Amino acid sequence: MNKTILFTLLGLLFLSSCNKEDISPLSDKNDNSLNAITQRNFKMGFSTWSSGPNEADNEETYQFIDLNADIYSEQIDDKIPWKAWMNNSTLPTEFTDEINQRVSNKLNNHKLLLSVSLLNTDRSDLLEDYDGAIPNYTSLNDANIENAYFKHLDFLISKFNPDYLVIAMEVNELKLHSESKWTEYKLLMDTIRSRLKIAYPNLPLSESITLHDWFNPEVANPTDFISEISNYVNQHLDYAAISYYPFFKGQRTKSEFQQAFDFLHSEVSIPIAFVETTHLAENLNISSFNLSIESNVYEQKEYLETLSLNAHSQNYEFIIWWAYRDYDKLWETFPPEYKDVGKLWRDTGLLDENGTERPSFTVWNEILDK
């Protein structure tokens, strides 16, 4: 898949917040709490992130989703053809080929979440064009930026015909980088949202928020930050689109997971959807980050159980597990400068790199069948 390799800034956040070695791994134990879910009221699915670099791996991903989900996610977050949109010129072949390939794999019997990124990999500025540059602007809400991005979204909606749309990804990260850009971003999105509502009045719109940087944010004034993000979500979005990786904050136990969920529920008054989430199934060690996180398949299982129980009790719209299978084969193809960052999510699949099912996959199917 032609997709941005990963989110570098999030990897760096581990250095200050996730080196926790004082929590012993969970034991394998029978947990009947899932009996509370007698009839599932939320959709379950995966992103189309592939486990390997070949077309056969990509096809296998869609086949797995077809059999083990009722919703799935396409993320368009590699590049934006800014110049083509601004100049009304021919779109880059690299862009159109990828979109057409994804559309050709569309699972028509599944709901589709389309997530589109406006921001770059560290969520500090606009996403780059295919030549590596970003457009010149005085303010993020400049008319040329607005018109080009609306064209981008309009094109993608017409191609995919999604059931849910995320019009920008992990946007609270921008506020962490620049208060002025955050103000400009809000003005831009107000206009984009209004235009989309006219063109697609029945399409639910959102902008994804990272729960791990909304709950206990590492900022000078956390109360103000939380209030700003909560107000933005409740006042402007059709549903709260949540991106959550609990191990980014060193969360490893059911009680720690639940603290984040309880925070979310206390802050949100609109429907909730987890647009991307996952948890480690193996120990993670990256010496260049001075990073060591213990985990195992039972800790992953407990996170999925906790997530599912909250999804049921709080009537979430859906949950999207990031990758169905560990992507060791794909990781082997990463350039050397991305190898360490790529490890962060590598071992989070419900299946390991050999396709062996983990305990969490049994939990997934148990809930999916309800």
Side-chain angles (χ1 to χ4, degrees):
M1 297 175 65
N2 294 321
K3 185 178 185 290
T4 299
I5 294 298
L6 291 168
F7 310 121
T8 304
L9 177 66
L10 293 179
L12 297 177
L13 289 176
F14 276 85
L15 295 174
S16 61
S17 61
C18 288
N19 193 7
K20 292 183 66 174
E21 301 179 327
D22 59 337
I23 303 176
S24 60
L26 298 169
S27 60
D28 186 7
K29 58 184 179 179
N30 294 324
D31 186 348
N32 295 320
S33 60
L34 291 178
N35 290 335
I37 305 176
T38 56
Q39 184 174 354
R40 177 170 57 93
N41 56 5
F42 58 94
K43 293 175 281 294
M44 301 172 65
F46 301 90
S47 81
T48 58
W49 181 263
S50 179
S51 63
N54 302 317
E55 181 57 32
D57 302 309
N58 192 45
E59 292 176 358
E60 186 177 295
T61 299
Y62 284 92
Q63 291 169 1
F64 182 90
I65 294 171
D66 191 25
L67 294 173
N68 296 283
D70 49 22
I71 189 172
Y72 72 107
S73 166
E74 292 284 8
Q75 290 197 352
I76 310 300
D77 62 348
D78 190 357
K79 298 177 179 66
I80 297 174
W82 291 109
K83 290 185 179 65
W85 294 129
M86 291 177 176
N87 300 326
N88 293 317
S89 56
T90 303
L91 292 166
T93 301
E94 183 180 349
F95 172 69
T96 55
D97 284 352
E98 178 181 359
I99 299 306
N100 290 335
Q101 185 266 336
R102 294 194 191 210
V103 170
S104 71
N105 288 317
K106 185 173 181 180
L107 302 173
N108 292 315
N109 57 334
H110 289 54
K111 297 295 185 180
L112 173 60
L113 163 69
L114 178 64
S115 292
V116 186
S117 187
L118 170 72
L119 304 174
N120 59 9
T121 53
D122 71 359
R123 314 310 190 200
S124 63
D125 209 332
L126 296 175
L127 192 60
E128 65 184 27
D129 204 330
Y130 281 78
D131 62 0
I134 64 172
N136 293 322
Y137 64 85
T138 302
S139 172
L140 280 179
N141 60 311
D142 282 355
N144 62 326
I145 301 297
E146 175 203 324
N147 290 327
Y149 196 59
F150 176 80
K151 289 179 183 179
H152 185 61
L153 292 171
D154 187 47
F155 173 83
L156 293 171
I157 295 168
S158 68
K159 286 287 189 178
F160 285 99
N161 189 26
D163 299 283
Y164 303 89
L165 180 65
V166 169
I167 61 177
M169 294 167 58
E170 301 185 328
V171 302
N172 55 322
E173 306 288 340
L174 181 64
K175 182 173 170 59
L176 295 174
H177 290 285
S178 172
E179 194 66 42
S180 61
K181 286 184 180 178
W182 170 249
T183 300
E184 296 164 3
Y185 167 84
K186 290 189 293 181
L187 294 171
L188 171 66
M189 285 296 109
D190 280 347
T191 308
I192 293 289
R193 224 179 292 110
S194 296
R195 294 176 67 175
L196 286 173
K197 282 296 184 184
I198 293 172
Y200 305 97
N202 298 318
L203 179 59
L205 305 179
S206 192
E207 299 150 46
S208 69
I209 305 293
T210 55
L211 180 55
H212 39 271
D213 282 309
W214 184 11
F215 170 62
N216 287 339
E218 297 177 3
V219 295
N221 297 297
T223 300
D224 291 345
F225 182 91
I226 290 170
S227 178
E228 168 69 12
I229 299 303
S230 299
N231 289 337
Y232 185 78
V233 168
N234 291 317
Q235 293 174 13
H236 297 283
L237 308 183
D238 292 334
Y239 62 98
I242 305 301
S243 170
Y244 180 41
Y245 299 95
F247 58 101
F248 282 10
K249 289 291 186 182
Q251 296 169 327
R252 297 188 52 202
T253 67
K254 182 177 181 179
S255 62
E256 290 175 331
F257 302 148
Q258 191 59 50
Q259 285 177 5
F261 289 121
D262 289 343
F263 165 85
L264 175 64
H265 304 153
S266 71
E267 295 296 321
V268 171
S269 59
I270 59 175
I272 294 171
F274 273 61
V275 298
E276 55 177 293
T277 190
T278 196
H279 193 65
L280 290 169
E282 300 179 13
N283 293 340
L284 176 65
N285 295 286
I286 306 177
S287 57
S288 63
F289 290 175
N290 189 28
L291 174 66
S292 178
I293 303 175
E294 292 184 2
S295 191
N296 55 58
V297 294
Y298 304 111
E299 187 173 310
Q300 182 193 63
K301 173 176 173 285
E302 182 136 309
Y303 172 65
L304 177 57
E305 289 174 344
T306 307
L307 170 66
S308 301
L309 286 166
N310 279 275
H312 182 74
S313 65
Q314 299 295 322
N315 295 307
Y316 292 179
E317 287 287 315
F318 56 83
I319 59 174
I320 300 290
W321 195 264
W322 168 244
Y324 85 95
R325 176 173 172 170
D326 291 358
Y327 56 88
D328 295 56
K329 289 191 299 181
L330 183 65
W331 178 79
E332 291 290 347
T333 69
F334 286 6
E337 63 270 24
Y338 289 114
K339 287 267 187 168
D340 285 347
V341 176
K343 278 187 178 181
L344 295 174
W345 296 265
R346 189 187 63 186
D347 300 317
T348 61
L350 302 187
L351 278 58
D352 70 12
E353 67 273 17
N354 299 312
T356 303
E357 298 173 3
R358 290 183 166 129
S360 50
F361 183 59
T362 301
V363 170
W364 182 273
N365 280 328
E366 178 184 346
I367 301 170
L368 185 68
D369 290 340
K370 292 189 176 185

